[in-house]
Amino acid sequence: MKKSHWLATAMLAFTYSASHAASLSVAVAANVQFVFEDIKTAFKQESGHDLQASVNSSGKLTTQIMNGAPFHVFLSADTEFPEKLVKEGFAASEPKVYAYGALVLWSMKNTELTNWQSALQQASVSKIAIANPKTAPYGRETMKVLAAAGLDKTLAPKMVFAESIAQTNQYIHSGVADIGFTAKSVVLAPEMKGQGKWIEIPHQLYQPIAQSAVILKAGKEQQAQAAQQFFDFLYSARGRAIFEKYGYLLPEKK
């Protein structure tokens, strides 16, 4: 093949690929915020499609979707909110677990965390950051952990509720709160790694946080092929490896 012919063919292929590249709008649970940057880069390399994230608590994103927000895919911090969207007719696929999230206790202060229950009750700890349990699944599981430990009422005066895990992180990282509960994926993120001290909460104290994704009606109607590609990517070997790197437990492959 002549060089000029090869160049023309390559340019035609590039033009075709660029013209068929999609931009997907993805509703992203706050605990997935840092992971999503790696997901976005890897998916772009593999498919050519761009991802635009809207980050918030799963509950608030669900409300936005039900009020007409044109998201194509939803990565929730649980399975209950996606199931609600299916039931109400806002989803075009069944929820599928992409990862199981883990809870950690995190502090930027010189707090001894070896015994996490004792750490929370120290006199030096006056504010404990927790994501709103009504809208944030990690906050919901945190309250279950504290109730199981018999600390929910004792610690109530110290609790500071944030809108999402993202805001919880801000409270902890800025020192507004002395300590707080967040997702393991946050403390393992390159942006946060090595900052402060953290301890993982024993898994047996709470239900594994099954995080599910769904393709939404807008995704099926506006970007069906790209939305399905992204959905499949989340469960591919490459997608699973990214979640595992950030401390998530993976569902069994079916």
Side-chain angles (χ1 to χ4, degrees), residues 104-108 169 172 179-180 182 187 192 195 197-198:
V104 300
L105 187 63
W106 185 32
S107 177
M108 300 301 292
N169 299 333
I172 300 166
I179 203 167
T182 189
V187 296
M192 296 296 181
Q195 297 191 43
K197 300 162 69 174
W198 60 274

Side-chain angles (χ1 to χ4, degrees), residues 23-91:
S23 182
L24 289 176
S25 178
V26 186
V28 179
N31 78 89
V32 188
Q33 179 178 9
F34 297 114
V35 191
F36 193 78
E37 291 306 310
D38 283 11
I39 293 285
K40 178 179 178 179
T41 300
F43 183 64
K44 172 78 171 180
Q45 291 171 348
E46 195 164 293
S47 69
H49 301 317
D50 289 311
L51 301 175
Q52 304 298 326
S54 292
V55 179
N56 212 321
S57 69
S58 298
K60 290 205 167 187
L61 290 169
T62 297
T63 299
Q64 290 173 18
I65 292 164
M66 294 177 72
N67 285 332
F71 299 127
H72 299 134
V73 180
F74 177 29
L75 272 63
S76 180
D78 71 352
T79 300
E80 291 178 28
F81 284 119
E83 286 176 344
K84 181 177 181 179
L85 292 174
V86 170
K87 185 178 179 181
E88 298 293 333
F90 292 93

